[in-house]
Every structure is written in C-alpha cells, then in structure tokens.
Amino acid sequence: MSASTDSGAAAHGGPGHPKRPVTGLRARPGRFRRAATRARTWLPGLLLVSPSILLIGVFVYGMIGWNTQLALSDKHAPIQDGSFVGLTNFVQLWQEARWPAAVTNAVVFTVVFVGGALFLGWLLGLLLDKGIRGEAVFRTLFLAPMAVSFIATGVVWRWLMNPAPAERATGLNALFVHLNLDFLVNDWWTAPDLGMAAMALPAVWQLAGYVMALFLAGFRGVPEELREAARVDGCSEWGVYWRVVMPQLRPVTLSAVIILGHMSLKVFDLIIAVAGQQIVADVPAVYMWAMVFEVRDPAKGATIASYLLLAVAVFVIPYLVWTVRKERSEGR
C-alpha cells in the first residue's frame, strides 16, 4: 500500500520527489521574448521602408498590371469599355508597316549606340590608365556630357547634323564644305538607310564618358602583380592588356552592355529632340507615345509598352540571375 502511495506521489511530484518540468507552460514566455526581440530588430526597418514598398507596389507593379490588362483588351478609344481579347493586339501589331520599321530602327540604334559607346569608352579608359598628365581634367571633360539631358543633346546635335544642302549647310556639313571635304557631306539622320546609325552618334558622345569611368575602374582594379608576372614571362604591353587585363574586365563589360542596352530600347527624348515624329527615325517609344496621346488608342499603346517591358526584361533579368548566383558562389 505504501509502495503504491509512494509511486503515485512520485508520479505527481509529491513531497520528497522532484517535480516534472511543465515544458509547454514554461517555454511559452521564452518564445514570446524571442519573438519580441526579433520584432524589435526588424520592425523599425520595415516601418522605414514601408512607404517605398507601398509606392512601388502601386505605381510600378500596379501600373504594370493595369497596362497588361489594357494590352489584352479591345479598348481602342478612351471612352470605350474594353473586353478581353487575349493576344490579338500583340499579333495585329506585327501586321502593320510602321511597327516592324520601328523595331528595325531600334535594333540599329542599339547596335551602333552600345558598340560605339563601349569602344570609345574602352579607348578613353585605356589612355587614362597610362597615367597621363592632367588625368583629372580629362576625366572631367569626358564625364561632362553626362550632366547634359538628352533633350539638350538632341537640340545641339540637330544643328550639327543638319541635312541641308551645301549652300544652306550648318554644323558638320558646313565644316566639311569649308574644308573641301564635300564627299563627307550627307543626309545624316534623314538618310533612309543609315539614318538611325547617325541618330546614335549623340548618344555615343554623351555616354562614352560613363563607360570610360567603368572601364577605368576596372583597369585600376587589376592587381599590378598580374601585369608584372606577364611582363616577366615575355608578354608585350599589348599582350598584357589582351591576355591579362581584358579577361578581368568581363563583368564590367557585361554591366555596361546591360545598362546601355536597356537605355537604348527606351530612347525617346533624344529622338524627339533631333527628328521629331519623322517616320524615318521612328522607334517603339515614339510610336507608343503617338498611339496614346495622338491617336488615343490605349490598347495599342499598352501593347507597345508590353513589348518594351519584355525587351528590357530580356536584358536585365539574366544579368540579375547571374549576379545573384555569383554572389552566392563567392559567399560559399
């Protein structure tokens, strides 16, 4: 009898026996304290960035959703109630003559702009990497065009690329006539074949300094020990750049291509400042502006905007994925 009593008392934590810990009741205050500590850690930061998150959610992703809804509808007038038509607008856009021409112009502009800015920026960065006298002055001069808006650049270059005949020539054509280089006089941006290539020249002039700064930082980031080791192995100075320095500049080159590429796809103000709404210089952004504000066709304008968004995403998203994977691999 006493044995059973003692065992019962022991089971219930009676006198003379240690009590069992009530883990459920005692663990809750600890969990609450830890949760409160974590909340005190991240809650101020969340409150700080919540206005930005709200604004981005409404004015970026909300507008993207609204634009997609318009692009998938037949709302071809501001006062019309559109209904869902799927991808009809996306298909019909390619059946027009103006849209393929605008896409072709955008491709030509992008190739000339990105290629020209990369080459000129690389060349300027290479020259400054030699440590010439007055380097700070040259850096300032090369970067100065970045402080000018595309509108101001377009106004100036419209005068420089004036396609007027020789007797009324201004800008570059007048300079060529004065130097008896009449064979260089051309129609510039009004030329049906190479007009968009000439249109990219102001953009190359304005962004080459920015690319120069990127490449110069890349040149200065290559350890001098690698260059000295290549010279000791008998490599020439050009060989040092091509075999040692240039492979180290691949991330810089990729970043420059991504930045310049997405800028060229969205170019609008430079085209308007130089050529206005000339069909010969038409690009998707100008076409979209005309559809929305002149023709008043919201569905078609939203369709063009969707194509531009997809084109920019093709440039940016693979770069972001590659950057995240690289950071994770380096973190390991």
Side-chain angles (χ1 to χ4, degrees):
M1 184 69 177
S2 61
S4 62
T5 303
D6 293 341
S7 61
H12 292 83
H17 298 278
K19 295 182 179 180
R20 290 183 178 180
V22 186
T23 56
L25 296 177
R26 294 184 178 179
R28 287 179 183 173
R31 285 201 298 267
F32 290 154
R33 282 195 296 269
R34 287 194 296 271
T37 302
R38 286 195 296 267
R40 285 195 298 269
T41 301
W42 56 261
L43 188 57
L46 179 61
L47 293 176
L48 184 64
V49 301
S50 57
S52 299
I53 294 175
L54 179 62
L55 293 175
I56 292 174
V58 173
F59 293 103
V60 177
Y61 296 103
M63 294 297 104
I64 290 176
W66 182 40
N67 180 86
T68 304
Q69 180 184 1
L70 282 175
L72 298 176
S73 70
D74 59 352
K75 187 179 177 63
H76 295 291
I79 60 174
Q80 178 183 350
D81 293 332
S83 58
F84 180 79
V85 294
L87 300 177
T88 303
N89 294 327
F90 291 86
V91 176
Q92 290 180 350
L93 196 61
W94 289 98
Q95 298 173 357
E96 300 179 1
R98 185 175 177 179
W99 172 248
V103 172
T104 302
N105 288 340
V107 172
V108 173
F109 183 92
T110 300
V111 171
V112 176
F113 169 51
V114 175
L118 281 177
F119 175 75
L120 187 57
W122 171 81
L123 183 61
L124 295 176
L126 180 64
L127 295 176
L128 291 182
D129 184 51
K130 297 293 186 178
I132 62 175
R133 273 186 165 185
E135 177 184 334
V137 176
F138 285 107
R139 280 204 312 264
T140 303
L141 291 177
F142 296 152
L143 286 171
M146 284 191 60
V148 183
S149 67
F150 265 141
I151 294 293
T153 299
V155 171
V156 173
W157 277 82
R158 179 184 177 89
W159 178 82
L160 288 174
M161 296 190 299
N162 185 5
E167 61 274 7
R168 294 188 290 110
T170 61
L172 295 176
N173 281 352
L175 178 64
F176 295 150
V177 171
H178 181 72
L179 297 176
N180 294 322
L181 300 174
D182 298 75
F183 64 94
L184 293 178
V185 175
N186 59 78
D187 295 332
W188 297 105
W189 57 270
T190 60
D193 297 329
L194 300 177
M196 288 309 298
M199 187 71 71
L201 295 180
V204 172
W205 170 80
Q206 187 162 3
L207 271 298
Y210 171 72
V211 180
M212 177 271 299
L214 294 179
F215 276 117
L216 183 59
F219 283 132
R220 299 288 168 83
V222 177
E224 188 63 29
E225 293 80 5
L226 294 178
R227 305 190 188 196
E228 291 297 333
R231 295 189 184 101
V232 170
D233 289 340
C235 198
S236 64
E237 196 63 27
W238 280 108
V240 170
Y241 274 98
W242 286 113
R243 299 181 181 181
V244 178
V245 177
M246 291 305 297
Q248 304 292 324
L249 298 180
R250 289 174 183 171
V252 175
T253 305
L254 180 60
S255 300
V257 169
I258 296 299
I259 295 172
L260 297 178
H262 95 271
M263 289 178 62
S264 65
L265 292 174
K266 301 184 300 180
V267 64
F268 170 79
D269 42 4
L270 178 65
I271 304 296
I272 290 295
V274 175
Q277 295 190 48
Q278 300 288 336
I279 299 297
V280 69
D282 202 13
V283 292
V286 176
Y287 189 17
M288 178 189 66
W289 185 86
M291 290 298 103
V292 174
F293 296 103
E294 292 184 354
V295 182
R296 301 296 181 93
D297 190 337
K300 185 177 290 186
T303 303
I304 300 173
S306 299
Y307 271 123
L308 286 176
L309 178 62
L310 292 175
V312 172
V314 168
F315 265 91
V316 175
I317 291 179
Y319 173 72
L320 295 178
V321 173
W322 175 79
T323 303
V324 171
R325 289 181 177 177
K326 183 180 179 182
E327 291 178 352
R328 288 180 178 177
S329 62
E330 292 177 352
R332 295 174 183 174

